[in-house]
Every structure is written in structure tokens, then in C-alpha cells.
Amino acid sequence: MTHSTQQQPAEQGLVVAAYGRRGVLETDDGEELKYQIKGRRVRVVCGDRVEWVRDTRKGAAVIQTVGDRHNTLGRQSHDESYIEVLAANLDCVIVVTAAVPETNWYLVDRYLVTAELMHCRTLLVDNKIDLAHTTSAEARSKELDVYRELDYAYVGVSAKSGQGIDRLLAELSGSVGILVGQSGVGKSSLINALVPDADIVVGALSTANAEGKHTTTASMMHKLPGGGRLIDTPGVRDFVPVIDEASDVRFGFPEISALAGQCRFNDCRHRQEPDCVVKDAVESGSISARRFETYKRLVEETERR
Ligand SMILES: Nc1nc2c(ncn2[C@@H]2O[C@H](COP(=O)(O)OP(=O)(O)OP(=O)(O)O)[C@@H](O)[C@H]2O)c(=O)[nH]1
Ligand SMILES: [Mg+2]
Ligand SMILES: [Zn+2]
């Protein structure tokens, strides 16, 4: 235990917002308290269990130690020089898409790979189904079918009309989930639809880039009615997963894992090797060529690192 001058026993808490050295934690009594961090070695993210003491002069909490994390959602920084941890101790990664802005399916794959490697449950949420009459509807529904055929849980919803929100709440109930996806797909709007007094400001899509004007800038954890929690995160353009070895990439793809051991070579990377059942499956169309492209890109990126 870190030496403290407050001379009080440390209490337990849960980090619900983190902005650098400051943020908000929830005490075990359900009270929300601003905190600050002392000491350079302590870093916290949403979902961290912490021990804290009250700074009697400022009334704020001072975090002293961070509990072990059972998993983390992280990504490579832009120059790939460090790993940015976004949240910890998650049960479910919820990848949100929408007809507007146009879906980047490679990004969807990258999140799903990350969730698979974290051994985390996944949920694909297609928001804005009230806009189902867009020109791209048929192509989008084909892409979504790829995931449904892979047995990824899927819910179509509209934060605007409320359609599907009850079902989504039932899927999320009792677990700690994190909403991820492109900017403007409606992650914060979904929090507003699910959590009665969340009141997050969301903005009109700016026509220039079809991204939210009132964009979310920091992750924040909300309490779901009926139990469980949900983290809202800032939207992204790109997401580089944390993968230790290029040979681990295949574990992120259930359709590739399912064919394990059937190629001629046991250590087949499904690239130039002869008698590769994965490549055969891509050629015959039983594995999506686009998903296989994501696989190859991730293997190449991970080998380069
Ligand atoms: N038509 C329609 N518009 C929606 C729906 N959900 C959200 N929007 C709109 O989409 C825009 C972006 O919503 P946000 O909730 O801010 O999106 P976000 O994913 O949180 O965006 P970032 O915080 O930038 O990552 C807003 O103008 C919302 O009103 C929906 O179900 N239908
Ligand atoms: Mg947002
Ligand atoms: Zn192979």
C-alpha cells in the first residue's frame, strides 16, 4: 500500500471517466467523485477498479492503486510507438455501424478481431434503421449478412425512433459493454436512448464530412437501467489492433480458425502456400474476400512492426 498522509483506510471505487491525471470515479456507495492521480506510475482508464482516499482539503478523491485488469481494449498509437489503453475489464465490445456515415467494413473487422483476441463477447449494432431507404441499403445488408453468417450477434436499431432499443438493452443487460465505431454513427445517441438521464449533447451531421459536430472527446461509463454499464467512446477513422505475433491474427477470424489444421502445412499462413483450404474457401466464396483482405493486411502490418 502506498504511504499516505490522509491516515484513512483506502476505499474501493470504479473509474467512470478518465481525462489524463483527472476524472470521475464511482464509490462503492454509488456516489460520483472527482479524482486526481498522484504519482507518475499510476494510469487509469474507464472500467478500472481502484483504491482511493479522500483529500480532506479539496474534497476530491486521490487514487492510490489500480487493481489487476482482466482484459483491456487497446490500440496502437498513430506512430505505433506505444499502446493506448482505452478501457479495462470489459464483457462485451459493441461495434456500431449506420447507413450514414458510410460504413468502413475493414474497421468493423478490426474491432471484431480485437474483441476475439480479448476473449470478449461481441455485438454488432446497426443504428439509424429509420434511414433504411438509402441507395446503399442492399449492399449494406449483404455486408451485414457476412457477419450474421459468422454467428456474430446482431441488432438493428434506431436511436431516433426507438426501434430495437428494448432488444439492445436486453442484450447489454448485466454486463460491462463498450460502444465503438466511426464518428457520427450514433454511439452517444444510443446512450441517450438507453440511459434515461444521460443527456449527452449530440449534433447534426456536418455535411462536409458526414461526421458528428458535437463529437465525443473522452470515454465515459454510464449505468444501464436494470444493471450493467456501457462506455461511450470517441469515434475513430482508423483502429490498429494490438496483436503480438502475426500468427495470432488468424485467431481473430472464426471462419479461418474453423479450418485450422486442414491446409497442407500445419503452420500455413494462407498466403502463397500450396493446398491451402482457406484460399480455396475464399475462391469458392464461402469465406468473404473482403474479410480475407482484412486478414492479410493485419498479418502484413503485424509482421512489419
Ligand atoms: N436518422 C437518425 N439519425 C441518428 C440516429 N442516431 C443518431 N443520429 C444522428 O447522428 C448524428 C451523430 O450522432 P452521435 O450520437 O453524436 O454519434 P457518435 O457516434 O456519438 O459520434 P462521435 O461522438 O463523433 O463518435 C446526430 O446528428 C444524431 O442525431 C438514428 O437512429 N437515426
Ligand atoms: Mg459520441
Ligand atoms: Zn492455408
Side-chain angles (χ1 to χ4, degrees):
M1 172 82 359
T2 316
H3 177 74
S4 92
T5 49
Q6 276 87 357
Q7 290 168 347
Q8 307 162 347
E11 295 181 58
Q12 307 284 313
L14 173 70
V15 173
V16 296
Y19 326 98
R21 318 292 298 159
R22 293 167 187 280
V24 181
L25 62 77
E26 190 187 296
T27 68
D28 278 353
D29 302 329
E31 184 194 356
E32 286 199 344
L33 266 186
K34 285 187 181 162
Y35 69 73
Q36 57 194 59
I37 296 172
K38 287 220 177 113
R40 290 186 179 278
R41 292 199 345 261
V42 183
R43 277 172 196 273
V44 301
V45 294
C46 265
D48 268 326
R49 300 287 321 177
V50 294
E51 284 190 333
W52 59 276
V53 293
R54 208 176 288 263
D55 181 325
T56 39
R57 281 167 308 146
K58 292 178 188 156
V62 179
I63 290 180
Q64 298 198 311
T65 55
V66 187
D68 290 339
R69 297 164 171 173
H70 78 74
N71 65 18
T72 57
L73 176 61
R75 67 161 173 185
Q76 298 283 349
S77 65
H78 283 297
D79 62 358
E80 304 197 354
S81 64
Y82 65 97
I83 292 167
E84 183 186 356
V85 178
L86 303 170
N89 304 319
L90 304 164
D91 302 316
C92 186
V93 173
I94 303 112
V95 186
V96 184
T97 58
V100 191
E102 193 185 333
T103 305
N104 175 350
W105 299 103
Y106 290 104
L107 185 65
V108 172
D109 290 339
R110 285 164 171 266
Y111 277 122
L112 292 177
V113 165
T114 305
E116 295 284 351
L117 295 176
M118 288 166 68
H119 303 288
C120 218
R121 195 159 71 83
T122 56
L123 182 60
L124 214 54
V125 173
D126 194 40
N127 186 33
K128 310 197 189 185
I129 54 170
D130 56 291
L131 302 177
H133 320 288
T134 54
T135 45
S136 61
E138 208 173 306
R140 298 195 73 250
S141 120
K142 259 197 193 145
E143 289 293 355
L144 287 166
D145 280 344
V146 169
Y147 299 101
R148 283 186 282 226
E149 278 161 22
L150 290 170
D151 280 336
Y152 282 109
Y154 162 87
V155 197
V157 300
S158 169
K160 192 177 178 186
S161 74
Q163 222 182 318
I165 294 297
D166 284 350
R167 213 184 125 215
L168 178 58
L169 187 59
E171 290 278 349
L172 299 176
S173 193
S175 56
V176 178
I178 186 164
L179 296 173
V180 295
Q182 287 160 257
S183 186
V185 292
K187 299 178 295 298
S188 300
S189 302
L190 287 171
I191 300 264
N192 283 340
L194 291 160
V195 181
D197 40 35
D199 290 330
I200 305 170
V201 182
V202 299
L205 285 184
S206 81
T207 42
N209 56 8
E211 286 179 5
K213 270 190 213 155
H214 289 274
T215 197
T216 304
T217 55
S219 297
M220 196 174 292
M221 186 186 257
H222 301 268
K223 253 186 188 166
L224 290 169
R229 292 162 192 277
L230 191 55
I231 302 172
D232 187 16
T233 66
V236 300
R237 279 208 182 75
D238 196 10
F239 181 83
V240 183
V242 180
I243 304 172
D244 294 334
E245 303 274 343
S247 57
D248 290 342
V249 174
R250 59 199 154 124
F251 300 123
F253 292 81
E255 67 272 56
I256 294 177
S257 302
L259 299 175
Q262 296 183 36
C263 298
R264 187 206 292 189
F265 299 111
N266 253 332
D267 60 350
C268 187
R269 292 176 311 155
H270 323 306
R271 308 264 290 277
Q272 275 81 45
E273 296 92 335
D275 300 325
C276 169
V277 294
V278 173
K279 272 189 293 174
D280 289 348
V282 175
E283 264 156 45
S284 74
S286 63
I287 286 182
S288 146
R290 210 219 57 250
R291 295 255 310 158
F292 189 57
E293 187 59 37
T294 309
Y295 165 81
K296 286 193 293 188
R297 285 191 200 178
L298 282 173
V299 169
E300 277 158 26
E301 276 175 26
T302 312
E303 278 172 348
R304 242 185 289 127
R305 207 168 288 136

